[in-house]
Amino acid sequence: MKPTMETAAEENTEQSQERKGCFECCIKCLGGVPYASLVATILCFSGVALFCGCGHVALAGTVAILEQHFSTNTSDHASLSDVIQLMQYVIYGIASFFFLYGIILLAEGFYTTSAVKELHGEFKTTACGRCISGMFVFLTYVLGVAWLGVFGFSAVPVFMYYNIWSTCEVIKSPQTNGTAGVEQICVDIRQYGIIPWNAFPGKICGSALENICNTNEFYMSYHLFIVACAGAGATVIALLIYMMATTYNYAVLKFKSREDCCTKF
């Protein structure tokens, strides 16, 4: 009877040790998760998807509005159509690049965080590993500055569409006096530089302008540009988080390498 009780006690002890070991393993694994990089990756994927998807459709809608209302002569907006088509291809490239870059940065965050937590980071604490981490820090800074420019550029069509929409609201306003007053309210799209000054008609006034604002193309393109601009802003925030995370990890790795070097002597 006694050996049986001792055996049961030993089995319970082994089971408790296994549970404790499993719990410690889970805690250790969770400690190696780069939460900042994970959040930044999700935000980056979402922002790039919104910018590329909505921007592509909004550009197509803008071309349709220009061709139907502001520039009926094909030769006047031929260059603009080519530029917009090129921008759509660039959007495809941006989406593909950042999908791959986000995965690489997330993987780099896992390895670097593991090295910082002293889990399994022998490579990351070497000179080659620190060089790769520094390269990602520099590249992320460059991309962050570039996306600030993209964010500013994406705000331009939002500003243009807002001016057109606000002009239509003035036309609809009860304070606008008579038909003659309405027809004097115009929008000249040529002032934004997207079509040449000799484009015909280039300027739309009164009820014709109000009809443009009521079309599905205008309504959809306006809101898609707003979402695309918001997506670009989200991508900028994601890259800022990447900058802070990669810079911090790189600094810690460099400090640890110096500490290890001094410990050897």
Side-chain angles (χ1 to χ4, degrees), residues 135-153:
M135 181 193 68
F136 278 114
V137 171
F138 174 75
L139 186 57
T140 305
Y141 270 88
V142 172
L143 290 174
V145 173
W147 268 97
L148 282 174
V150 172
F151 175 69
F153 179 77

Side-chain angles (χ1 to χ4, degrees), residues 207-226:
S207 57
L209 177 61
E210 184 180 357
N211 293 332
I212 293 174
C213 291
N214 293 330
T215 59
N216 292 328
E217 290 83 2
F218 178 87
Y219 181 83
M220 185 66 68
S221 298
Y222 179 31
H223 288 83
L224 286 176
F225 272 125
I226 293 175

Side-chain angles (χ1 to χ4, degrees), residues 94-118:
I94 290 174
S96 303
F97 173 79
F98 272 90
F99 177 76
L100 179 61
Y101 189 70
I103 294 176
I104 293 174
L105 275 184
L106 183 60
E108 198 274 342
F110 270 102
Y111 285 116
T112 308
T113 304
S114 298
V116 171
K117 297 291 184 179
E118 297 181 351

Side-chain angles (χ1 to χ4, degrees), residues 11 16 22-23 40 47 55 68 80 87 90 109 135 142 149-151 160 162 190 199 211 243 258-259:
E11 290 178 354
S16 62
C22 182
F23 177 75
Q68 295 173 9
L80 177 64
M87 290 174 63
V90 170
M135 181 193 68
V142 172
V150 172
F151 175 69
M160 182 187 71
Y162 174 76
R190 296 171 295 184
N211 293 332
M243 287 180 199
R258 290 179 179 177
E259 188 179 50

